[in-house]
Amino acid sequence: MKRILISTIAVSALFFNISCDTDFDQDVNDVVVTSGEADFSKYVALGNSLTSGYRDNALYIDGQNESYPAMLAQQMQLAGGGAFKQPLMPNNTGGFTNLPGFPGKYVLSVVNGALSPGPTAPGAALDNITPAGPYQNMGIPGAKSFHLLAPGYGSQAGLANGTANPYFVRFASSATTSVVADAMAQAPTFFSLWIGNNDVLGYATSGGDGSNPITSEAMFTQAYNGLVATLTSNGAKGVVANIPNVTAIPFFTTVPYNPVPLDAASVTTLNQQVFGPLKQILTAYGQGSRLNLVTATQNPLLLKDESLADLSAQITGALAAAGVPAQQAGLMGLIYGQARHATSADLIPLTTSSVIGTAPTSPYAVAPFNKYGVTFPLDDKHVLTVTEKTEVLTATDSFNAVIKAAATAKGLAFVDANAKMMELSKSSGLQFDGVKYTATFVTGGTFSLDGVHLTGRGYALIGNEFIRAINQKYKSNLPMVNVNSYSGVTFP
């Protein structure tokens, strides 16, 4: 099994890249903090996992306490802001013992001499904390844009048919309410809205296999404009943020397209019995570039690309004509009819690392065609092809245009989270008070162990972007938070 290994040299570089510069906008000790044209007395935050403080593949107390809305609320309280209550989980592990698919948070441990992230057991059963509400952090992990408007999204009974979300079930005011309705019931004077990430992210993380489609532009536009119209209907001011490029996060940039080493004996066998004959057949049909002859160095992953013409019959026929037994010729036709080797344009999800080289469950996976990604093509869900990546980026651009237009139309502060996250993904990264942060998995300091969500320091970086946008729009002077005082990845 392939695992993600963390270089100790890289870890050391994280801790020692420190200088004496300061990135604070102003000396907070000499400033009287004011709200400007805004009223922070009732701040309510709406969004998804990024708003809730989710990280390490779970929602847990330490992460919630370092959510960016909690940071904003703390700064707002210096300028008349009111209390800000979060729907804290009952433990510091996260997950639900009585719901499948909700493990506890990822932690790093040493496996075969290297650091590797893995899930822990869930901490407790789904609880209900509605009586202690209302809550001002209404970030719901997994929520898409339209979910915030959906009545019944917090219904316990809706969990069985997938129309409800357990994180909202915990604190929804009733079985029929919606997230935005519960927000409006609090009469917010100021709101933040960072939603839309899951409208493209689910498609991307599922390899574009169709199980979690991209939200249509029409649906997103209707939902987003509906949310903004509702949240501003009582005269509240607010701040909105756009959708980051999800294909640039560590979940898609950590596992290389060519992580397959082979020994000399395997190279000889595979080229003679598998890839040599297949490449010869495919070349005859003008498709020779689909497959490479393997070498003893790093080889690209083998994958199924449903966008390719299915040459199963041609492969079967050619092999049979060359004397290959009919059963084996048919098997190879089925396996390799739409197979190709990955290129650097394909993105390999972080989760795929755990299946590379393992035995697939397919009945066709018999030796030597039984190594996932090596001799048996990875399924659609394990790769985001360049075509699927383009679909994600096209939708992101479209949705971000809707968000920017809504902000402009309603006179709201706007955070270009996409631009900021792209800065973070560059090798130069971002600096805060002398510490360099990048999007490198684990060692960059900003992304948690799931490769999707941020650490406390990552949320602080984006929280400061919210503060800058608020101050610029409403003439307030909320101080930035000290990014370096929040937590990064916890090492064993």
Side-chain angles (χ1 to χ4, degrees):
M1 175 184 295
K2 296 285 293 184
R3 301 189 71 89
I4 302 300
L5 309 179
I6 314 302
S7 163
T8 54
I9 295 176
V11 172
S12 299
L14 168 68
F15 291 125
F16 287 96
N17 193 354
I18 298 175
S19 70
C20 297
D21 298 332
T22 179
D23 287 344
F24 282 102
D25 276 352
Q26 68 276 328
D27 184 345
V28 297
N29 294 319
D30 299 328
V31 173
V32 176
V33 182
T34 63
S35 61
E37 299 171 352
D39 177 356
F40 301 130
S41 59
K42 177 61 75 175
Y43 165 49
V44 176
L46 291 88
N48 49 39
S49 52
L50 296 173
T51 293
S52 70
Y54 192 100
R55 66 185 188 188
D56 299 325
N57 202 42
L59 189 66
Y60 58 96
I61 292 174
D62 281 356
Q64 291 176 287
N65 284 333
E66 294 188 335
S67 68
Y68 81 83
M71 299 175 193
L72 263 62
Q74 185 176 27
Q75 304 309 79
M76 289 176 180
Q77 286 164 2
L78 301 174
F84 189 82
K85 182 184 290 186
Q86 302 193 93
L88 295 178
M89 294 288 283
N91 53 67
N92 211 24
T93 301
F96 299 115
T97 56
N98 57 339
L99 293 176
F102 292 91
K105 65 182 178 184
Y106 284 2
V107 297
L108 277 177
S109 59
V110 178
V111 179
N112 297 325
L115 292 173
S116 180
T120 56
L126 178 65
D127 55 351
N128 188 296
I129 56 174
T130 297
Y135 300 92
Q136 286 74 56
N137 187 336
M138 305 193 71
I140 312 297
K144 297 183 178 182
S145 57
F146 52 88
H147 286 144
L148 301 186
L149 291 154
Y153 197 52
S155 166
Q156 175 86 34
L159 292 176
N161 60 17
T163 60
N165 183 313
Y167 294 104
F168 189 42
V169 168
R170 296 183 68 233
F171 65 93
S173 65
S174 74
T176 57
T177 191
S178 67
V179 176
V180 71
D182 274 5
M184 293 305 294
Q186 300 184 53
T189 61
F190 196 90
F191 67 88
S192 62
L193 177 64
W194 193 12
I195 194 68
N197 207 52
N198 289 325
D199 293 79
V200 292
L201 179 65
Y203 177 82
T205 56
S206 59
D209 68 353
S211 62
N212 195 341
I214 295 173
T215 303
S216 72
E217 182 176 353
M219 179 176 287
F220 182 86
T221 302
Q222 181 178 13
Y224 198 86
N225 288 334
L227 286 168
V228 171
T230 303
L231 290 167
T232 56
S233 61
N234 64 353
K237 293 180 170 61
V239 57
V240 300
N242 65 5
I243 304 168
N245 172 0
V246 300
T247 68
I249 60 178
F251 189 84
F252 289 109
T253 60
T254 301
V255 181
Y257 77 97
N258 59 346
V260 182
L262 293 170
D263 58 41
S266 296
V267 168
T268 300
T269 299
L270 291 176
N271 281 338
Q272 288 180 347
Q273 299 180 8
V274 181
F275 295 114
L278 286 170
K279 188 171 181 66
Q280 187 174 9
I281 296 168
L282 292 170
T283 299
Y285 287 95
Q287 299 289 312
S289 62
R290 288 189 184 186
L291 297 176
N292 307 318
L293 295 180
V294 293
T295 69
T297 59
Q298 295 302 106
N299 294 282
L301 290 164
L302 185 68
L303 59 94
K304 181 179 180 179
D305 186 341
E306 67 278 9
S307 71
L308 296 174
D310 189 349
L311 298 180
S312 298
Q314 290 85 344
I315 291 172
T316 299
L319 289 172
V324 175
Q327 184 175 13
Q328 181 175 338
L331 180 65
M332 293 179 69
L334 283 170
I335 294 174
Y336 297 109
Q338 289 181 295
R340 68 170 172 85
H341 277 119
T343 73
S344 58
D346 298 308
L347 298 179
I348 312 302
L350 193 59
T351 47
T352 297
S353 65
S354 65
V355 304
I356 296 172
T358 63
T361 56
S362 168
Y364 306 123
V366 296
F369 316 117
N370 61 346
K371 294 184 183 303
Y372 233 165
V374 182
T375 58
F376 193 94
L378 291 170
D379 292 317
D380 193 359
K381 63 183 178 181
H382 291 305
V383 180
L384 191 70
T385 66
V386 63
T387 301
E388 294 162 342
K389 175 183 174 182
T390 300
E391 292 173 352
V392 170
L393 295 179
T394 299
T396 301
D397 288 344
S398 173
F399 296 168
N400 281 345
V402 172
I403 293 170
K404 186 67 171 64
T408 301
K410 294 294 184 180
L412 302 173
F414 172 75
V415 178
D416 192 349
N418 186 28
K420 183 55 60 176
M421 297 301 277
M422 290 308 294
E423 285 183 48
L424 191 62
S425 67
K426 295 177 181 177
S427 59
S428 56
L430 296 170
Q431 294 269 345
F432 188 90
D433 210 19
V435 178
K436 178 180 177 180
Y437 293 101
T438 72
T440 302
F441 185 54
V442 177
T443 58
T446 53
F447 277 86
S448 71
L449 297 178
D450 57 34
V452 174
H453 300 90
L454 301 171
T455 62
R457 293 182 171 189
Y459 283 123
L461 282 170
I462 201 68
N464 279 340
E465 293 308 302
F466 275 79
I467 289 173
R468 285 192 179 96
I470 292 168
N471 287 342
Q472 182 178 27
K473 184 67 182 180
Y474 300 113
K475 300 181 176 60
S476 53
N477 63 346
L478 301 178
M480 291 194 296
V481 300
N482 183 352
V483 174
N484 302 339
S485 68
Y486 292 92
S487 65
V489 170
T490 300
F491 290 85

